[in-house]
């Protein structure tokens, strides 16, 4: 490794904070990157990885914190100033311009200054040189980019980075769109870039990739750096999983009352499968019970609950509510059968962002408030307020536009929606993601109270301790399969880590 510990890192980020309405995406993040290293940024969904690199690439202004370049304070006024500094980003969704050629894309926005005559030939020559350096001489600079494969487009993005003489190249989940052979090619390339002194910030949640190409690792969780500057060669995988799934603060969980022996089975999932996502998943949930699903990103947990809810169509298997089969692939049928879902991406999937809270609560029960095409606003407001009181949303919030609420209060509103609807099965995907620390205990209390009132609850969580602390039973998933199912009583975080590791290796 061409790094030297006494040297000032090429890049330092200190105490970076970035808040979006309702969520603190970054809450004081540190990151050090040295020239010529592959620095991996690791963390579960929502940990803040993409936000951090958007700050570094000038796309977002941080609320506070500083960035230093070779020790000097760096002010990024926008994406162009990051690029000018030598920070290039290969985005997850490639951002090439469809109608333009490879060469035009590479030099888009910084056309050669050699005005006029011969410019085109010069550009083509330079692009060809970059592509050669990247080991892809077969890509023709005059070809339209939309005709290239995803892997080749990624190479074009990198050629563009080289054209800017980037010294830091940020790659956000670059392997996600590649097949294994292409991944091998990408790794060769990363090694070459590294040899030439380029620092790579590599984002991935695939631990085996990090072991293969990473030098150091920074682990993020809930917008906080929970592991910094860990040497890959000295950090066992178990430690990394622990950092990603562990928790930074202790919470009190509500007591778990015993489930009545005669409590009936409300939800039955039997042999549910979707190709490439999850296989043969079966479990049951009784009235009053909370079942938690633990596992890493990519284990298939969200896909399972979305399929149970009918938002995805099962390839095989059945879902029953109170003994009756629910039509496959139909959210309408799932809601009619008494199911509710609080999804992982609240903002994108669950909220009517520009509507007041009460409308967001009433939306699943609209038929109750609508006659002949009119919505009875008053009735809706009154009913919603009653449910919001029940979950202790502070009075006066019910008329506010929901996007202005804190993450915790937004989550409470989504739960209130299903309360109002009177659901029998509540599916919660990462219920405390983006929820302010103070409001977490409230959310736990609400979930437990719902169970006590007879609802069957399924909760997906990336925090092992949350599953063990809140749920009555735990399901552990790895690589799309259920690798364990049983009571949470007496199970330790370490036990679950072992199960995840063994399942991942299988
Ligand atoms: P990661 O890339 O690690 O999955 P992100 O940086 O995308 O995490 O997200 C961190 C948190 O910030 C999440 O809770 C996410 O929902 C929230 N978030 C990210 N971008 C925005 C945005 N533009 N507006 C509001 N919230 C956002
Ligand atoms: Mg991301």
């Amino acid at each position: 490794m061409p790094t030297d510990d006494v040297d000032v890192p090429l890049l330092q980020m200190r105490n970076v904070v970035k808040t979006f309405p309702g969520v603190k995406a970054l809450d004081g993040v540190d990151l050090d990157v040295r020239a010529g290293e592959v620095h991996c940024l690791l963390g579960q969904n929502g940990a803040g990885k993409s936000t951090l690199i958007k700050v570094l690439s000038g796309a977002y202004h941080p609320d506070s914190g500083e960035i230093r370049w070779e020790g000097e304070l760096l002010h990024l006024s926008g994406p162009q100033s990051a690029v000018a500094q030598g920070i290039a980003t290969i985005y997850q969704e490639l951002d090439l311009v469809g109608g333009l050629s490879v060469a035009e894309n590479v030099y888009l926005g910084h056309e050669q200054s050699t005005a006029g005559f011969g410019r085109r030939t010069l550009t083509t020559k330079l692009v060809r040189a970059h592509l050669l350096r990247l080991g892809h001489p077969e890509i023709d600079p005059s070809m339209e980019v939309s005709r290239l494969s995803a892997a080749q487009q990624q190479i074009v993005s990198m050629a563009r980075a080289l054209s800017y003489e980037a010294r830091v190249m940020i790659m956000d989940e670059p392997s996600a769109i590649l097949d294994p052979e292409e991944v091998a090619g990408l790794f060769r390339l990363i090694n070459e870039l590294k040899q030439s002194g380029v620092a790579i910030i590599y984002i991935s949640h695939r631990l085996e990739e990090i072991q293969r190409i990473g030098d150091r690792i920074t682990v993020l969780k809930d917008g906080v750096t929970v592991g910094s500057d860990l040497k890959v060669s000295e950090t066992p995988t178990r430690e990394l999983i622990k950092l990603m799934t562990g928790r930074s603060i202790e919470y009190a969980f509500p007591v778990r009352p015993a489930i009545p022996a005669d409590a009936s089975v409300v939800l039955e999932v039997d042999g549910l499968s979707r190709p490439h996502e999850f296989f043969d998943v079966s479990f049951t949930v009784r009235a009053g019970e909370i079942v938690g699903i633990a596992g890493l990103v990519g284990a298939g947990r969200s896909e399972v609950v979305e399929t149970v809810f009918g938002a995805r169509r099962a390839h095989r298997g059945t879902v029953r509510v109170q003994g009756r089969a629910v039509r496959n692939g139909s959210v309408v049928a799932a809601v009619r059968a008494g199911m509710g879902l609080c999804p992982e991406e609240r903002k994108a999937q669950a909220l009517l962002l520009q509507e007041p809270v009460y409308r967001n609560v009433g939306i699943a029960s609209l038929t109750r408030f609508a006659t002949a095409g009119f919505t009875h606003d008053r009735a809706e407001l009154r009913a919603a307020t009653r449910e919001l009181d029940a979950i202790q949303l502070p009075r006066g919030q019910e008329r506010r536009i929901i996007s202005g609420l804190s993450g915790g209060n937004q989550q409470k509103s989504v739960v209130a929606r299903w309360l109002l609807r009177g659901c029998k099965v509540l599916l919660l995907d990462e219920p405390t993601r983006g929820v302010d620390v103070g409001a977490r205990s409230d959310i736990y209390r609400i979930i437990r109270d719902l169970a006590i009132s007879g609802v069957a609850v399924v909760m997906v969580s990336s925090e092992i301790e949350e599953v063990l602390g809140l749920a009555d039973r735990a399901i552990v998933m790895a690589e799309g399969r259920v690798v364990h199912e049983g009571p949470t009583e007496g199970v330790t975080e370490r036990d679950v880590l072992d199960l995840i590791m063994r399942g991942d290796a299988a």
Side-chain angles (χ1 to χ4, degrees):
M1 216 178 346
T3 56
D4 190 347
D5 276 341
V6 294
D7 278 352
V8 178
L10 177 61
L11 185 79
Q12 290 169 291
M13 297 180 86
R14 282 290 169 275
N15 217 357
V16 175
V17 174
K18 176 69 192 173
T19 314
F20 295 111
V23 53
K24 225 171 198 178
L26 302 176
D27 195 8
V29 171
D30 296 339
L31 176 72
D32 281 359
V33 180
R34 293 166 185 75
E37 77 167 349
V38 177
H39 197 105
C40 299
L41 200 53
L42 189 62
Q44 298 263 47
N45 275 341
K49 306 179 297 290
S50 293
T51 304
L52 184 68
I53 63 152
K54 282 181 186 155
V55 168
L56 184 54
S57 61
Y60 289 159
H61 271 292
D63 304 344
S64 60
E66 56 180 44
I67 305 175
R68 284 177 185 275
W69 182 268
E70 295 179 321
E72 300 287 324
L73 217 51
L74 178 64
H75 175 73
L76 297 176
S77 55
Q80 282 308 320
S81 80
V83 163
Q85 191 61 48
I87 302 169
T89 312
I90 317 298
Y91 282 103
Q92 213 165 349
E93 288 83 32
L94 295 172
D95 57 345
L96 302 175
V97 181
L100 299 184
S101 74
V102 169
E104 284 164 334
N105 266 283
V106 169
Y107 279 99
L108 195 67
H110 73 137
E111 285 81 5
Q112 292 302 291
S113 43
T114 49
F117 184 71
R119 191 170 92 184
R120 201 180 180 94
T121 351
L122 178 60
T123 306
T124 307
K125 254 191 191 152
L126 286 169
V127 172
R128 197 165 278 137
H130 294 316
L131 291 167
L132 185 65
R133 182 174 164 201
L134 292 168
H136 284 265
E138 86 286 359
I139 300 176
D140 176 358
S142 65
M143 193 141 136
E144 206 186 298
V145 283
S146 50
R147 292 174 52 206
L148 301 175
S149 71
Q152 287 174 318
Q153 292 189 14
Q154 201 172 62
I155 300 293
V156 174
S157 266
M158 289 185 205
R160 182 163 63 192
L162 289 179
S163 77
Y164 286 117
E165 294 172 46
R167 293 178 64 196
V168 173
M169 227 186 261
I170 306 168
M171 303 185 184
D172 195 354
E173 307 249 1
S175 61
I177 53 167
L178 305 180
D179 65 35
E181 211 167 287
E182 292 168 334
V183 172
L186 173 69
F187 287 180
R188 270 197 303 278
L189 203 78
I190 287 177
N191 270 320
E192 276 160 33
L193 288 168
K194 180 175 137 170
Q195 296 307 326
S196 65
V198 175
I200 313 279
I201 300 177
Y202 188 89
I203 300 180
S204 174
H205 58 258
R206 299 182 185 171
L207 291 164
E208 77 279 3
E209 290 186 351
I210 286 166
Q211 302 286 359
R212 269 172 67 193
I213 54 152
D215 295 311
R216 283 171 210 261
I217 307 169
T218 293
V219 187
L220 296 188
K221 182 167 183 300
D222 297 335
V224 177
T225 306
V226 291
S228 57
D229 242 9
L230 305 163
K231 284 206 175 85
V232 169
S233 54
E234 293 167 7
T235 317
T237 305
R238 160 197 288 281
E239 182 61 27
L240 294 175
I241 298 178
K242 196 176 150 97
L243 287 168
M244 281 196 294
T245 60
R247 53 180 21 190
S248 23
I249 307 173
E250 288 305 310
Y251 294 93
F253 289 101
V255 286
R256 278 188 292 238
I259 314 287
D262 61 349
S264 60
V265 170
V266 179
L267 176 69
E268 290 167 88
V269 174
D270 187 27
L272 217 58
S273 302
R274 266 176 64 85
H276 312 297
E277 288 182 359
F278 55 87
F279 315 93
D280 200 19
V281 172
S282 303
F283 61 91
T284 60
V285 191
R286 294 195 293 158
E289 203 176 23
I290 303 175
V291 170
I293 308 182
L296 298 177
V297 177
R301 300 164 302 162
S302 297
E303 289 80 357
V304 167
V305 293
E306 286 172 19
T307 307
V308 169
F309 191 62
R312 292 172 191 243
R313 174 173 288 277
H315 186 65
R316 275 215 190 82
T318 53
V319 174
R320 289 170 194 280
V321 173
Q322 293 182 317
R324 292 180 57 177
V326 184
R327 184 147 56 87
N328 184 13
S330 163
V331 171
V332 173
V335 171
R336 212 171 272 151
M339 284 197 259
L341 170 71
C342 302
E344 181 176 18
E345 286 293 331
R346 244 183 339 264
K347 287 225 165 62
Q349 301 175 330
L351 300 179
L352 306 171
L353 285 170
Q354 299 314 320
E355 295 283 339
V357 173
Y358 74 87
R359 175 59 46 76
N360 273 278
V361 173
I363 186 78
S365 314
L366 267 188
T367 47
R368 213 193 296 176
F369 309 113
T371 22
F374 291 102
T375 311
H376 291 180
D377 230 37
R378 278 259 185 75
E380 188 180 16
L381 176 62
R382 218 177 310 123
T385 307
R386 203 164 48 237
E387 300 304 340
L388 290 164
D389 275 348
I391 58 168
Q392 292 169 10
L393 188 84
R395 264 293 170 106
Q397 302 258 350
E398 63 275 4
R399 289 167 189 269
R400 284 184 59 191
I401 300 300
I402 201 159
S403 58
L405 265 61
S406 70
N409 286 338
Q410 289 178 355
Q411 183 67 285
K412 286 183 188 177
S413 306
V414 183
V415 173
R417 168 188 303 171
W418 299 114
L419 268 174
L420 179 61
R421 172 88 203 179
C423 72
K424 301 170 191 132
V425 176
L426 188 60
L427 310 164
L428 301 148
D429 196 353
E430 302 283 3
T432 58
R433 159 99 30 96
V435 167
D436 19 317
V437 171
R440 286 202 182 193
S441 317
D442 291 353
I443 302 282
Y444 296 147
R445 176 81 258 159
I446 291 165
I447 296 174
R448 177 48 76 186
D449 285 348
L450 270 165
I452 290 172
S453 75
V455 175
V457 178
V458 178
M459 170 193 68
V460 169
S461 171
S462 291
E463 283 183 3
I464 294 172
E465 280 155 276
E466 190 166 277
V467 169
L468 295 180
L470 187 62
D472 302 292
R473 267 188 307 127
I475 290 172
V476 182
M477 286 188 69
E479 303 269 312
R481 290 175 198 282
V482 173
V483 294
H484 171 84
E485 202 224 305
T488 48
E489 191 71 53
V491 178
T492 64
E493 185 194 7
R494 202 188 161 88
D495 297 334
V496 179
L497 284 173
D498 280 340
L499 288 161
I500 290 176
M501 291 220 1
R502 254 184 275 143
D504 242 29

